[in-house]
Amino acid sequence: MESLANCRNQNNLREKSPTDSTEVIKECESLFSTCDYVMEPTIFTQLQRYFLAGGAVEPAINLLAGNYAAVAQMANLVGEWLTVAGVCVSEVQEMAENRLIDSILKMFDPAKADAVFVDDGFSPTWLIEMVEHRVWRSLFIRLSEMHPNCLMLEYAIKLISDAGFQGEITSVVPASHQFDVFSRVLQTAIVRFLDRPDDHQRTINCAKLVCHTEHTYLYGQVLIQMISQYSKSGLIMKRLSQEIGKYALRNNRNVMPITMALNGAEHYPEACEALTAMLTKNTLNPAHIVVLHRMYSSTQPPPIDLIRIPQFLELLVDSLFTVSTRINKYHKSKYIYLLAYAASVVSTTRYWKTNTSELQETIEAIQQAHNICILNQDSYGLICIPTLFKCLQYPVVGAGLIRWVQSTVLCPEYLLESNSLHLMLLDEVASEHALLREPVWRLLVKLFESKQNEGGGVLLSLKVKKMLIDRMMNLMAHDYVVPVVKYINTCVFRGNVDVSLIRYFVQEVLEIIEPPYSDEFVQLFLPLVKNEQITGLMTHVADSNPVSAFIVHCAAYHVEAETRNP
């Protein structure tokens, strides 16, 4: 069998290679005529073919010498001159690498790369060596995004993953082509999310990866579902699964059948039909609400995860706490019951039992908050604040009040005031519930960028925005620091916010902070403090100057973070 295979290989070589010595010589001389061919790794193979075909030595030498431009050697020489002139060696190397990367990105031909890769029949040693360096790994990842069907690049991505550098593959395209690579990249993304589950960007990275295709979504959600059932981080993983589902819906992906299947809907076709009909149309239907209420108020209700789909919960909250929405009195109690049930009932998979001890209290809290916000919105006063604050002990009421405040204050005819009940409620929600600080923050940003208060003049607009900065400071006082400082940096970069407001923000922050500081905070806040346009007019006594004190402290204890500042 081996001899037969060898014969076939020899026959294939004869078919592929020219049989005429003249053609071989012409082919080799054509290669020798290219620029710097003497530096190519195939030079010895081609010289051997040339001489075996009867080629003369002198023409070969003349062609190779005449076309030797010494591009690589000249680059090395210029690099040596730069180092002699005082440029750092690392900077010279970075310049050369960047120039080479730009050239490769412009001139890369996937067909030629695949031809070299297939013709060799084995992994080139230079490819394995390049994978060991971060710069070239990054280049392979960028090229694979531009040329997703290149075989050589797919193999390079696999080498990167096998070498343990899958954390550098942040793009979806390179990771999704190979199952083992995708599994490693997804594992790394989930581990990073678990390390900091409050980091919104890490959640988005997981969602982008899982939502790339229908197959990746199904695989990722099933994996996350299994991890949530057999790990200590089960609730966090369920939240990740829900965030991924919300991301898919925002990008117009129909993932409802997969979501229903993962929540065990096949055993409850009536509930599945009612939910699917409402979620597909993104609107609640009283008839379907009655069906769900009947099933979840029975002695053997369906799994609670069925109605804990974020889209369904948002629809319930919107219907109960949006000012312009009205619900029939007969159906309102059923809406409240389903929302309270999803928010308060605890199910134990071990004995398949449900704990409804907090259900009635949650129903009463939602009912009271709804009555105050929607039914008595024209007659509420200070007497309602204690009741609302008491209801705010329940997170679901906090979510409802955020929606009510949003539907109220974003109306064109509404004018914010410093003693507004709505802003007081947002402060209370932020102080009571850590997971609701992000929606509070998003609402504050909308208000800050809104132009509805500009009709009263520049002074009124500045007063309102200053008041909103105070609300942002309240968020910072409750551990929501990095997103706020990032946003203020963005405002400075855009130049769309009056510098007096930025100065007010910096001054307020300097008054409430004290060491130690995280490197991330220093990296974000230090450029604001060093900006002369912002802090130049903040004159204080030298001994108690918070600007100078913060800069001196950062220079002493946060050298690396300071050097990373732009």
Side-chain angles (χ1 to χ4, degrees), residues 22 88 187 210 255 346 400 505 550:
T22 305
C88 181
Q187 176 187 354
V210 174
V255 297
V346 179
F505 171 80
F550 182 78

Side-chain angles (χ1 to χ4, degrees), residues 457-475:
V458 177
L459 293 179
L460 177 61
S461 178
L462 289 176
K463 180 181 178 182
V464 170
K465 290 188 175 182
K466 185 178 179 181
M467 175 180 58
L468 292 172
I469 288 179
D470 290 335
R471 310 276 72 76
M472 296 179 185
M473 295 300 302
N474 178 67
L475 280 175

Side-chain angles (χ1 to χ4, degrees), residues 7 20 49 87 103 171 180 197 249-250 265 331 341 368 420 433 438 455 486 489 508 527 561:
C7 290
D20 190 2
R49 288 184 63 217
V87 181
S103 300
S171 176
D180 53 344
L249 290 173
R250 287 197 299 268
H331 298 120
Y341 192 97
Q368 288 181 339
S420 171
H433 307 293
E438 183 180 340
K486 277 185 178 179
N489 268 284
E508 291 296 309

Side-chain angles (χ1 to χ4, degrees), residues 45 47 68 91 115 144 149 181 206 233 259 287 334 355 360 363 365 374 395 402 407-408 420 422 429 539:
T45 303
L47 282 174
Y68 176 59
E91 293 183 12
S144 64
N149 297 321
V181 175
C206 287
S233 305
T259 303
K334 297 175 175 56
N355 182 355
Q360 188 58 38
I363 291 175
I374 304 300
I402 293 173
S407 65
T408 303
S420 171
H422 305 93
V429 171
T539 55

Side-chain angles (χ1 to χ4, degrees), residues 65-181:
N67 292 282
Y68 176 59
V71 175
Q73 285 72 18
M74 288 300 296
N76 291 335
L77 181 61
V78 172
E80 292 178 3
W81 288 349
L82 289 173
T83 55
V84 171
V87 181
C88 181
V89 176
S90 59
E91 293 183 12
V92 175
Q93 182 177 351
E94 185 178 356
M95 284 190 291
E97 289 173 347
N98 291 337
R99 176 59 183 169
L100 186 57
I101 288 172
D102 292 339
S103 300
I104 294 174
L105 290 173
K106 292 178 181 179
M107 303 175 64
F108 183 81
D109 188 343
K112 291 182 179 179
D114 286 346
V116 173
F117 186 69
V118 173
D119 291 344
D120 289 346
F122 57 89
S123 177
T125 55
W126 54 266
L127 182 60
I128 300 175
E129 293 174 357
M130 291 180 71
V131 168
E132 297 177 357
H133 300 275
R134 184 182 182 86
V135 174
W136 306 123
R137 292 197 299 269
S138 175
L139 174 62
F140 284 131
I141 294 172
R142 292 176 63 185
L143 285 172
S144 64
E145 296 176 14
M146 300 167 59
H147 309 282
N149 297 321
C150 180
L151 294 177
M152 190 204 75
L153 293 176
E154 286 187 13
Y155 184 73
I157 295 297
K158 188 177 187 311
L159 288 178
I160 294 173
S161 176
D162 292 342
F165 301 109
Q166 65 272 6
E168 299 177 12
I169 308 174
T170 56
S171 176
V172 179
V173 177
S176 61
H177 281 262
Q178 303 176 67
F179 176 75
D180 53 344
V181 175

Side-chain angles (χ1 to χ4, degrees), residues 318 321-325 373-374 377 400-414 422 443:
D318 288 348
F321 289 95
T322 301
V323 174
S324 59
T325 304
C373 296
I374 304 300
Q377 56 179 327
L401 290 181
I402 293 173
R403 187 67 190 91
W404 174 66
V405 171
Q406 180 176 342
S407 65
T408 303
V409 300
L410 291 180
C411 292
E413 63 274 9
Y414 183 86
H422 305 93
L443 178 55

Side-chain angles (χ1 to χ4, degrees), residues 372-390:
I372 293 173
C373 296
I374 304 300
L375 300 183
N376 302 320
Q377 56 179 327
D378 295 328
S379 59
Y380 71 79
L382 293 176
I383 193 172
C384 300
I385 294 179
T387 304
L388 283 177
F389 279 15
K390 183 179 179 181

